[in-house]
Amino acid sequence: MQHMGIFEKYGVRVLGTSVRTLELSEDRELFANALKDINIPVAESIAVTTLDDALAAADQIGYPIIVRAAFALGGLGSGFANNPEELQNLASKSLTLSPQILVEKSLKGWKEAEYEVVRDASDNCITVCNMENFDPLGVHTGDSIVVSPSQTFSDEEYHMLRSAAIKIVRHLGVVGECNVQYALQPDGLDYRVIEVNARLSRSSALASKATGYPLAYTAAKIGLGHTLPELPNAVTKTTTANFEPSLDYIVTKMPRWDLAKFQNVKRDIGSSMKSVGEVMAIGRTFEESFQKAARMVDPKWNGFQGDQFDDLDDTLKNPTDRRWLAVGQAMFHEGYSVDKLHDLTKIDKWFLYKLKNIVDCTKEMQEIGSLFGLKKELITSAKKMGFSDKQIAAAVNSTEDEVRARRLSFGIRPWVKKIDTLAAEFPADTNYLYTTYNASTHDVTFDDHGVLVLGSGVYRIGSSVEFDWCAVNATLSLNKLGKKTVMINYNPETYSTDFDVADRLYFEELSYERVMDIYDLESASGVVVSVGGQLPQNIALKLQETGKAKVLGTDPHDIDKAEDRHKFSSILDDIGVDQPAWKELTSLKEAEEFADSVGYPVLVRPSYVLSGAAMTVIKSQAELAEKLTAAANVSPDHPVVISQYIEGAKEIDVDAVGSNGQLLIHAVSEHVENAGVHSGDATLILPPVDLDQTTMDRIKDIAERVAKAWKITGPFNMQIIKAENPNGGEPALKVIECNLRASRSFPFSSKVLGTNFIDVATKALVGKEVPEPVDPMAVKRDYLAIKVPQFSWTRLAGADPYLGVEMSSTGEMACFGRDKIEAYWAAMQSTMNFRMPEPGEGLLFGGEFTDELSEIVRQLAPLKYKLFAANETTKAALESAVEGASVEVIDFPVEDKKALREVFAKNDIRGVFNLAHSRAKSLVDEDYVMRRNAVDFGVPLFLEPKTAVLFATCMNQKLPRQEGSIPSEVRRWSEFIGGKPL
């Protein structure tokens, strides 16, 4: 915008760090030169803008090299190359995402560290936090396990890097917050600056939560002209922002990946980030902190442990998303020494010796073999190393409840400590708390008897910022109702873990053990389990039954009746609500008989797999046999649930709130896509435009019946499919799912309809100020909103961009409009790196021929696009279906990426429509190659029939009818956000 003159034109003043400083830090060449001016070492590098220049630069520097993209977040477009062929593939992709790349000498295997620095306009400058990566250089810091403060640096190394960071920030002229990343030689004092982010970065959230120093708040105040000495420390309230934080604890950040959800995805992790979330665990020892983090990432892990690997040594040598489990496997089960592990992984021996302490403690308990053989000292020692009750139980063949009882009989309980940024040197008034067994006193008293609100945990595919919004709004509503609140969550990226949201913040695990520890300590008046997604729901029944906690809202027994498929279905039958036919089966023969009775396709879900993972649509008996023998191993121990799958049905989402079984409020959103695309990947329209009043009335009736049958108090969500009735008459409305908790779409419904659904739900949960029932869907509105998904295909090398019953998206955005064309047009252009195909450019078509594909061509034909197909069949079908359409068949090499890129460039292909009916069976499948390379070449990809038609309709109505007539400002901005040079 600065280059386009927009700031100057409208008199916009940039506060804090100048645009020039941002350019110095983001433009790789300017950055390297600026640091050379002050004798700060950077890795040898050359900035280039073309593929040929990249190859020449690599020859000059010498392989191995790393490619970094300028003006990119999360290492997007970066990677390592050991030879010209690897560089060619990598640089081709990088240059579609950014106008400039840096070819740099690889320092793989060095230590990696970060410093967060704050500076004001008066040149007061402090380092707020230093962080050390558990993984050596080569893994993006967002994909690394990170500890703070650094553990393996000598005092000399620590201060050398601190001094350099302050020198850099002053030289660049940063005013506000800045992040400096280093590579440090493992066995010497040599170092290199990797990059400087003269802005708040992903690490800034972690640093803020790790130290209790609010970086964004302080940077904003500095931008407004304040100085550090005059700003109070917002956490301690007793010191100024000019104090460098001092920590008497250690935090471990561990990333969360969901790579197993994607077909063909490469599971290696490197310089381009793939994780979708992260956790932060606080402890007094590395062992305690690390084990907490492992459980936070996924409750299926008990702590530090192993897992099975096809090639253990290869996984240790070449990092993947399961690397720490490979270290655990090597230590627990394969007898690898610390030296051998260090040689394979280059992980510092200090970390490996600490992990060995956990292994040794586990083996000591296993050798004793019984719970009553464990003495108080050993249980205490295990708890100080971060062992959970469940983990101890596994070591001695006991149960979590028995271990808890024995632990409490010894008086072994966690202590509550404050994060005060001052290492307890000065008095501090802070509500930011954690628990540890490495202490002897509490830092707080427990007089409030507040309501516990269980947060959403780690961001992952399926549970993200939407549930954080729900948890925060529930907390704010409780405060307005005069209730003291206690938030439990462990995600450093969330608003709920800001210290000023709840009266007390516990940065802690969301396990039964930890929640009950805090519930008992606080003598809490109740616990809210319905606003944090599935994680709190999974422990709700145990909290009530075993822990005797007061769960607010819908009774956990009723929650169980919605989670258990048998109970759920029988209740729907009792209240006269329709559902697709389904059965739980224990043999292939039974499965085949059921599928024959309802007709293919069917939906298969192995019942022992959690979170709806591994759901598959099966279209034939042969496919069913292949799925059940290979994937599920069907038996009485491993039953599968098979449901009728209704093709071509419309899916409808209902968000609602009940109070003692009465429906208080509800919202009805319709999916653009047909049923079969996961609701988290679907495009939602609210209020709906294609549902008549009779259907809306029937949906409300279903919601009222469900609320009454499950005696719902609080939020709930239903998914309903609308299908043609084969016998004629009214279309069928079938409930396919009901969650007795807040849903991913609650913020969307609340913001579009102007009523905070969570506020209503919270009032119902505590029975105070409960509003009278209202029907916001009866209000006629002159607007609607459309929510569209954001996918991370560009970061997931090899993954097949295909939508199905398992969720793939990692984010979403919504836009308003007077009609669905206007709203969808705005929403699509809000997605990351979206560049509108302009008239005169090429569009490529593929997948199965459908009515939708010909409708797309009908809409686009008047716009003078050049139309291409990868085969004669698609060409012939399109030309015969659309009068006057001219489609050219292009060469389509499926095994030569370089040649395919040249084909895309030669034909100026700027959009791809690929409407395939099923996932690819191989890596040389034409449709897979088309979809994958559209993503890799930075070309918009449309792969679902209904949304593709909607977008083509938008283009028809919104774009001019001749080539090159898009206004120049729009085109330049479109090119800029698409990663093209201005």
Side-chain angles (χ1 to χ4, degrees):
M1 283 195 174
Q2 174 90 348
H3 286 178
M4 291 162 68
I6 290 174
F7 288 163
E8 188 179 359
K9 181 178 178 181
Y10 294 103
V12 175
R13 187 159 61 95
V14 176
L15 301 178
T17 299
S18 69
V19 174
R20 177 59 184 162
T21 297
L22 293 174
E23 285 177 330
L24 276 176
S25 62
E26 293 286 342
D27 184 299
R28 300 292 180 169
E29 191 168 19
L30 294 175
F31 168 67
N33 290 335
L35 264 57
K36 281 174 188 165
D37 290 344
I38 52 172
N39 298 317
I40 295 287
V42 293
E44 188 185 354
S45 61
I46 298 172
V48 298
T49 55
T50 68
L51 181 57
D52 288 341
D53 287 349
L55 290 165
D59 286 338
Q60 185 179 329
I61 291 170
Y63 292 93
I65 57 99
I66 179 173
V67 166
R68 297 182 189 281
F71 309 104
L73 285 171
L76 184 63
S78 71
F80 292 92
N82 296 306
N83 54 56
E85 186 182 0
E86 288 179 13
L87 175 58
Q88 202 156 33
N89 288 333
L90 178 61
S92 297
K93 181 181 170 185
S94 300
L95 286 165
T96 65
L97 301 168
S98 174
Q100 183 199 68
I101 62 174
L102 195 73
V103 178
E104 188 177 286
K105 185 69 179 169
S106 170
L107 299 172
K108 216 185 236 189
W110 285 34
K111 291 183 186 184
E112 188 167 359
E114 293 183 72
Y115 281 68
E116 295 287 334
V117 187
V118 173
R119 177 179 176 267
D120 63 26
S122 299
D123 205 28
N124 296 298
C125 192
I126 63 167
T127 57
V128 171
C129 178
N130 95 303
M131 294 168 274
E132 176 185 4
N133 289 13
F134 173 87
D135 301 282
L137 193 80
V139 176
H140 187 278
T141 192
D143 276 353
S144 287
I145 296 170
V146 176
V147 297
S148 178
S150 57
Q151 299 295 301
T152 74
F153 295 178
S154 68
D155 189 54
E156 186 179 9
E157 289 168 333
Y158 170 81
H159 282 287
M160 174 181 72
L161 298 182
R162 178 185 176 276
S163 299
I166 291 172
K167 191 175 179 182
I168 291 164
V169 166
R170 283 181 165 150
H171 180 67
L172 293 178
V174 173
V175 177
E177 196 271 349
C178 189
N179 164 276
V180 184
Q181 291 178 30
Y182 293 105
L184 177 67
Q185 195 179 26
D187 48 4
L189 286 173
D190 196 9
Y191 73 94
R192 300 282 187 279
V193 174
I194 302 170
E195 68 177 354
V196 172
N197 292 306
R199 55 170 168 76
L200 290 152
S201 69
R202 182 188 178 85
S203 302
S204 307
L206 175 67
S208 296
K209 301 291 166 75
T211 60
Y213 188 105
L215 284 165
Y217 169 87
T218 306
K221 288 287 190 180
I222 289 170
L224 292 169
H226 294 277
T227 64
L228 290 172
E230 73 187 54
L231 289 173
N233 182 315
V235 176
T236 66
K237 303 181 179 73
T238 58
T239 56
T240 75
N242 211 32
F243 271 60
E244 289 201 352
S246 180
L247 313 189
D248 55 359
Y249 52 86
I250 176 173
V251 306
T252 299
K253 180 214 89 175
M254 195 178 278
R256 160 85 185 214
W257 298 270
D258 280 321
L259 300 181
K261 283 181 171 280
F262 300 98
Q263 183 176 306
N264 303 329
V265 72
K266 293 184 173 67
R267 295 192 70 153
D268 59 299
I269 55 173
S271 60
S272 183
M273 199 173 119
K274 292 181 179 178
S275 62
V276 292
E278 62 190 29
V279 307
M280 187 185 97
I282 310 170
R284 284 288 179 93
T285 65
F286 173 73
E287 295 93 328
E288 182 179 47
S289 179
F290 188 93
Q291 295 226 85
K292 277 186 178 182
R295 292 189 290 271
M296 290 170 172
V297 164
D298 196 325
K300 72 182 179 185
W301 310 125
N302 282 335
F304 180 50
Q305 65 181 75
D307 200 9
Q308 290 300 311
F309 293 88
D310 293 333
D311 188 337
L312 182 60
D313 281 10
D314 184 66
T315 309
L316 291 166
K317 251 187 237 172
N318 302 300
T320 71
D321 57 316
R322 300 168 71 225
R323 190 191 211 183
W324 69 269
L325 290 161
V327 173
Q329 183 69 17
M331 281 188 161
F332 276 105
H333 306 293
E334 311 298 337
Y336 283 32
S337 68
V338 165
D339 286 343
K340 182 174 181 180
L341 275 169
H342 172 72
D343 289 342
L344 286 166
T345 63
K346 299 296 182 266
I347 295 168
D348 193 278
K349 288 182 185 178
W350 187 91
F351 292 122
L352 297 174
Y353 277 117
K354 289 290 184 181
L355 294 176
K356 189 172 182 299
N357 291 341
I358 298 169
V359 176
D360 292 343
C361 185
T362 305
K363 290 188 171 169
E364 188 178 349
M365 289 189 288
Q366 286 171 339
E367 281 165 16
I368 292 168
S370 79
L371 175 59
F372 293 98
L374 296 183
K375 294 193 166 50
K376 179 180 179 180
E377 291 71 24
L378 185 52
I379 295 177
T380 304
S381 176
K383 296 307 283 185
K384 286 184 172 184
M385 277 194 220
F387 280 78
S388 66
D389 291 345
K390 196 186 284 188
Q391 199 176 1
I392 294 170
V396 294
N397 300 309
S398 183
T399 67
E400 179 181 21
D401 293 339
E402 287 170 343
V403 171
R404 183 177 183 84
R406 183 157 175 82
R407 168 169 69 77
L408 294 176
S409 74
F410 283 135
I412 303 170
R413 288 177 169 82
W415 301 96
V416 175
K417 307 304 285 184
K418 288 179 181 178
I419 285 187
D420 62 9
T421 81
L422 305 166
E425 276 187 75
F426 300 88
D429 177 21
T430 167
N431 63 343
Y432 186 177
L433 311 171
Y434 68 99
T435 66
T436 181
Y437 285 86
N438 293 284
S440 53
T441 58
H442 293 305
D443 284 355
V444 292
T445 56
F446 307 100
D447 309 314
D448 288 348
H449 313 297
V451 175
L452 265 57
V453 179
L454 305 189
S456 55
V458 66
Y459 286 167
R460 54 201 181 279
I461 293 176
S463 178
S464 189
V465 70
E466 313 88 354
F467 288 110
D468 186 57
W469 182 90
C470 294
V472 167
N473 275 275
T475 306
L476 298 176
S477 296
L478 286 166
N479 283 334
K480 283 182 200 160
L481 293 167
K483 302 285 186 183
K484 290 287 187 180
T485 51
V486 181
M487 171 62 66
I488 307 176
N489 201 7
Y490 51 75
N491 187 332
E493 303 168 304
T494 55
Y495 183 21
S496 61
T497 53
D498 283 1
F499 60 86
D500 52 359
V501 168
D503 294 305
R504 282 197 167 165
L505 165 64
Y506 281 87
F507 217 102
E508 271 301 336
E509 299 174 63
L510 286 163
S511 62
Y512 166 76
E513 175 186 341
R514 187 63 72 241
V515 172
M516 278 313 306
D517 286 339
I518 296 168
Y519 187 93
D520 290 342
L521 282 166
E522 291 281 352
S523 302
S525 57
V527 55
V528 177
V529 299
S530 56
V531 293
Q534 197 61 34
L535 212 53
Q537 291 272 286
N538 290 345
I539 60 171
L541 193 58
K542 190 167 186 184
L543 288 173
Q544 177 174 285
E545 294 304 294
T546 310
K548 307 304 178 194
K550 182 183 178 184
V551 175
L552 299 179
T554 308
D555 189 313
H557 285 106
D558 290 315
I559 294 172
D560 184 59
K561 288 174 192 168
E563 297 279 338
D564 182 298
R565 193 77 219 187
H566 290 280
K567 296 172 185 174
F568 174 64
S569 289
S570 63
I571 292 174
L572 287 182
D573 289 343
D574 290 345
I575 62 175
V577 171
D578 198 6
Q579 61 188 306
W582 73 280
K583 214 162 186 183
E584 188 175 77
L585 303 163
T586 57
S587 73
L588 177 59
K589 185 170 183 297
E590 286 178 330
E592 288 173 341
E593 287 170 358
F594 175 81
D596 287 339
S597 70
V598 299
Y600 289 94
V602 291
L603 184 66
V604 174
R605 179 176 64 242
S607 60
Y608 62 92
V609 177
L610 297 173
S611 308
M615 284 200 295
T616 314
V617 176
I618 302 290
K619 299 189 173 175
S620 68
Q621 186 170 327
E623 208 179 326
L624 182 68
E626 180 189 344
K627 169 72 180 173
L628 295 191
T629 50
N633 187 23
V634 195
S635 70
D637 293 332
H638 295 305
V640 296
V641 172
I642 303 192
S643 317
Q644 180 186 18
Y645 180 81
I646 301 168
E647 288 191 292
K650 173 176 275 295
E651 190 163 339
I652 300 157
D653 252 80
V654 181
D655 290 320
V657 177
S659 177
N660 297 314
Q662 181 184 29
L663 183 70
L664 293 181
I665 190 169
H666 74 293
V668 180
S669 305
E670 63 179 333
H671 293 201
V672 172
E673 299 84 351
N674 282 337
V677 172
H678 191 284
S679 62
D681 288 348
T683 305
L684 264 60
I685 304 179
L686 176 67
V689 292
D690 293 326
L691 297 178
D692 60 31
Q693 191 56 48
T694 305
T695 302
M696 294 292 284
D697 292 342
R698 290 172 64 203
I699 290 168
K700 183 179 180 183
D701 177 59
I702 291 170
E704 287 174 333
R705 292 191 201 195
V706 166
K708 186 177 179 182
W710 271 274
K711 303 185 282 293
I712 295 173
T713 295
F716 69 104
N717 163 268
M718 292 187 300
Q719 267 124 49
I720 300 172
I721 54 172
K722 176 187 170 198
E724 293 306 314
N725 191 331
N727 304 318
E730 283 188 326
L733 291 176
K734 295 174 184 280
V735 173
I736 55 174
E737 195 171 349
C738 183
N739 294 305
L740 306 195
R741 55 165 169 78
S743 78
R744 195 183 305 98
S745 45
F746 260 64
F748 176 64
S749 297
S750 299
K751 290 173 182 181
V752 174
L753 299 179
T755 301
N756 189 322
F757 275 47
I758 291 294
D759 183 53
V760 176
T762 307
K763 289 170 179 172
L765 290 176
V766 295
K768 285 185 73 174
E769 301 179 22
V770 181
E772 290 299 310
V774 293
D775 184 357
M777 304 316 295
V779 179
K780 296 299 173 201
R781 301 169 196 272
D782 59 358
Y783 67 87
L784 55 78
I786 293 190
K787 177 166 80 78
V788 302
Q790 173 74 53
F791 297 93
S792 299
W793 306 121
T794 48
R795 296 186 180 278
L796 302 172
D800 186 1
Y802 182 84
L803 301 187
V805 288
E806 200 175 341
M807 188 172 159
S808 303
S809 62
T810 50
E812 61 192 25
M813 60 284 298
C815 287
F816 289 87
R818 285 164 296 192
D819 54 38
K820 73 176 181 181
I821 297 295
E822 189 174 89
Y824 189 67
W825 181 250
M828 279 306 295
Q829 292 186 82
S830 303
T831 57
M832 282 289 289
N833 291 329
F834 186 85
R835 182 197 179 278
M836 183 65 58
E838 291 186 28
E841 294 174 344
L843 300 175
L844 177 62
F845 294 86
E848 279 81 16
F849 180 74
T850 59
D851 291 342
E852 285 91 354
L853 202 61
S854 49
E855 175 60 22
I856 291 164
V857 174
R858 255 191 295 276
Q859 293 286 348
L860 297 178
L863 296 176
K864 306 294 186 287
Y865 285 102
K866 292 178 284 188
L867 308 182
F868 299 103
N871 57 62
E872 289 289 349
T873 308
T874 305
K875 169 187 165 73
L878 287 173
E879 289 183 340
S880 63
V882 183
E883 189 178 341
S886 173
V887 181
E888 184 184 334
V889 176
I890 56 171
D891 290 332
F892 199 81
V894 292
E895 295 184 74
D896 186 339
K897 196 177 191 86
K898 181 171 178 282
L900 185 61
R901 180 179 170 75
E902 287 166 358
V903 169
F904 267 64
K906 177 182 147 194
N907 295 292
D908 198 20
I909 292 170
R910 295 302 187 104
V912 172
F913 292 83
N914 184 279
L915 310 186
H917 285 162
S918 57
R919 291 187 188 276
K921 293 280 193 295
S922 76
L923 295 175
V924 293
D925 176 277
E926 183 181 273
D927 291 321
Y928 164 73
V929 172
M930 191 181 296
R931 292 192 294 266
R932 184 63 241 173
N933 286 287
V935 168
D936 288 344
F937 300 154
V939 172
L941 170 65
F942 300 92
L943 43 79
E944 194 285 326
K946 298 289 186 189
T947 47
V949 168
L950 178 56
F951 190 74
T953 308
C954 287
M955 293 169 80
N956 180 291
Q957 294 188 21
K958 294 287 185 183
L959 288 179
R961 298 293 162 124
Q962 69 270 356
E963 183 180 343
S965 60
I966 291 180
S968 60
E969 278 189 20
V970 173
R971 184 166 60 251
R972 287 172 68 202
W973 180 243
S974 168
E975 286 181 345
F976 175 75
I977 62 172
K980 299 289 176 278
L982 290 170

